[in-house]
Amino acid sequence: MEESRFSVFKELESRDHEQVLFCRDELSGLRAIVGIHNTMLGPALGGCRMYPYKSEQEALVDVLRLSQGMTYKAAVCGLNLGGGKCVVIGDPKQHKTELLWRALGRFIEGVGGRYITAEDAGTTMKDMEFIRMETSHVVGISRALGGSGDPSPVTALGCFAGMRATVEERFGKSSLEGLTVAVQGVGHVGYHLVSHLVRAGVKVFVTDVDNESLKRTTADYRVEVVSPEEIYSVECDIFAPCAMGGIVNADTIPQLKCSIVAGAANNQLGDENRDGEALAERDILYAPDFVINGGGLINVANELEGYNQERALDQAEGVYDILKDVYSRAKADNIPTYRAANNLAMDRIESIERIRRTYTGLRRGGPGSLIRGVS
Ligand code: NAD
């Protein structure tokens, strides 16, 4: 019943999407959806997620929500990129084949560079390399092939820089030494974040549902392990979500005993408005997720100009300044930080749109640099 009332175009209108591509390939069994949200700043870049979605509606809503987030992330990070994302319906443990990725690669090639893919949850560098056999519009490939490799250490670096900005804002101190941080999820990003925190003299609590991830972290660093249920109520300065989205919500916010929420996970707020406001009401400073985790996007975007690690790391550390701008804007406008970040992103997109319309009469410009500092 619900499914029949669902309107694809209503969904596109509600988030202001430009284009959605439904991809089906009989031979490989591929069923994928590419969401292109906004290409005002440049080609839409965003990862390809593989997940056994329960329904087509769930897959579509996910790709629309995620691609919109990528528009905001690219805009606020100062990249000349738009927002896009791809979802492949299937179980990453069972349904991956070379044929499937190459079929997807041909669909991506077909949109002529309007969408650039990368790895995301459920996909790997190897999958991207199959896609690359059919199209050049893919990033996040191995260093050996001229790519930028695993983005998670750079995401963690940016996240740590963002934590420094947030601590400065909340506690007026430039170092994290002596603080306590509770990290939810010590997978790719969480593990590297723990490394930065421990080196900075932070007391770290961790949790994970995966024993292997926990074992690796406790073997390498002095941290205290708590259960997945306990992590929300750990008495700490910073709660750092580094696992799944939607975990800052009406159930968990009352449990929090922290002054700051700052972590790498995407879409942390269960309901952006309700939960963003609830954090502000509890006087918990929220580092907007798409800003503090921008290091990963910054890293893969650097591939488009010829990957240079020094430049990528330097730009990822720039998350510090971007978050400082978000906090200044929130204070000046007396609004919660999640809204300040959205406003900063929209302001940049709208100002570029105005310039383009005024001076060229075009909606999009010609080929220019996709990242700063490259002529
Ligand atoms: P990952 O899958 O490597 O790590 C996530 C970890 O969280 C895993 O170890 C998993 O077992 C654990 N986990 C899952 N559910 C949990 C639960 N209920 N409680 C505790 N732990 C749980 O993923 P990742 O690449 O480290 O990414 C983590 C988050 O950061 C994701 O939300 C991702 O979208 C976001 N992100 C990642 C990057 C990147 O560079 N990898 C960039 C930007 C944003």
Side-chain angles (χ1 to χ4, degrees):
M1 288 297 277
E2 276 303 300
E3 191 92 11
S4 66
R5 272 190 260 122
F6 182 77
S7 157
V8 173
F9 277 101
K10 248 195 213 143
E11 284 295 318
L12 302 197
E13 279 159 27
S14 73
R15 294 184 170 82
D16 207 15
H17 275 75
E18 286 180 13
Q19 187 180 6
V20 171
L21 185 71
F22 290 90
C23 314
R24 172 195 165 264
D25 177 67
E26 177 135 17
L27 215 57
S28 63
L30 172 77
R31 287 191 307 149
I33 313 174
V34 176
I36 298 178
H37 177 251
N38 185 300
T39 57
M40 177 52 60
L41 297 178
L45 193 154
C48 171
R49 177 168 290 195
M50 186 167 190
Y51 188 77
Y53 291 99
K54 288 191 202 77
S55 68
E56 291 163 16
Q57 180 176 330
E58 189 190 20
L60 178 65
V61 169
D62 204 31
V63 80
L64 296 181
R65 190 176 53 89
L66 291 165
S67 52
Q68 180 182 27
M70 292 308 293
T71 297
Y72 281 54
K73 189 183 303 201
V76 87
C77 288
L79 299 165
N80 286 326
L81 290 167
K85 206 87 180 183
C86 171
V87 298
V88 175
I89 302 172
D91 183 344
K93 293 211 168 85
Q94 286 184 51
H95 299 135
K96 284 185 182 181
T97 58
E98 174 178 350
L99 214 59
L100 180 125
W101 296 120
R102 294 186 69 157
L104 180 61
R106 287 194 297 281
F107 281 109
I108 292 170
E109 179 65 13
V111 284
R114 271 174 61 71
Y115 170 65
I116 301 166
T117 200
E119 48 180 303
D120 197 76
T123 60
T124 63
M125 220 179 309
K126 191 170 152 223
D127 305 330
M128 295 308 116
E129 287 167 7
F130 283 134
I131 291 177
R132 188 168 171 269
M133 291 176 178
E134 303 289 343
T135 182
S136 58
H137 304 302
V138 51
V139 288
I141 54 175
S142 67
R143 298 296 291 273
L145 286 171
S148 58
D150 176 10
S152 53
V154 189
T155 305
L157 179 75
C159 186
F160 184 64
M163 276 185 173
R164 286 194 284 110
T166 312
V167 163
E168 201 166 282
E169 179 69 19
R170 172 46 42 109
F171 301 125
K173 54 185 259 177
S174 59
S175 145
L176 268 68
E177 195 174 358
L179 297 186
T180 303
V181 179
V183 181
Q184 181 186 46
V186 281
H188 285 92
V189 182
Y191 172 83
H192 292 291
L193 181 63
V194 167
S195 147
H196 289 291
L197 293 170
V198 170
R199 274 188 281 132
V202 169
K203 175 165 177 54
V204 181
F205 287 86
V206 299
T207 194
D208 203 294
V209 289
D210 176 55
N211 273 335
E212 287 307 308
S213 302
L214 273 180
K215 254 193 230 160
R216 176 169 82 132
T217 310
T218 50
D220 293 352
Y221 302 108
R222 186 194 284 250
V223 294
E224 196 164 318
V225 177
V226 297
S227 73
E229 297 72 34
E230 280 170 322
I231 196 76
Y232 301 106
S233 53
V234 169
E235 196 107 31
C236 61
D237 299 291
I238 306 175
F239 170 55
C242 295
M244 340 75 73
I247 52 86
V248 178
N249 55 44
D251 284 340
T252 59
I253 292 171
Q255 299 176 48
L256 296 176
K257 295 196 181 98
C258 59
S259 305
I260 289 171
V261 172
N266 275 313
N267 302 113
Q268 292 170 25
L269 303 176
D271 176 294
E272 192 182 50
N273 292 318
R274 183 198 63 200
D275 301 323
E277 302 289 336
L279 285 177
E281 273 161 30
R282 281 210 50 200
D283 198 25
I284 295 173
L285 182 57
Y286 171 59
D289 48 14
F290 67 83
V291 185
I292 194 166
N293 71 18
L297 176 63
I298 290 169
N299 194 50
V300 290
N302 266 272
E303 257 181 62
L304 297 167
E305 303 286 358
Y307 189 66
N308 175 314
Q309 189 179 36
E310 199 184 330
R311 184 181 68 212
L313 296 183
D314 191 50
Q315 290 184 354
E317 295 236 40
V319 166
Y320 173 92
D321 293 315
I322 303 168
L323 268 177
K324 293 290 267 187
D325 285 348
V326 169
Y327 298 141
S328 301
R329 176 75 177 257
K331 264 200 278 204
D333 295 351
N334 195 23
I335 53 175
T337 53
Y338 81 96
R339 275 177 52 204
N342 289 350
N343 291 350
L344 277 174
M346 282 317 297
D347 283 357
R348 178 159 181 254
I349 293 169
E350 283 165 12
S351 66
I352 300 299
E353 183 168 16
R354 270 198 300 279
I355 291 170
R356 294 243 154 97
R357 284 194 202 284
T358 307
Y359 295 107
T360 67
L362 294 173
R363 194 166 178 267
R364 284 264 327 268
S369 173
L370 299 170
I371 58 172
R372 283 171 294 130
V374 177
S375 55

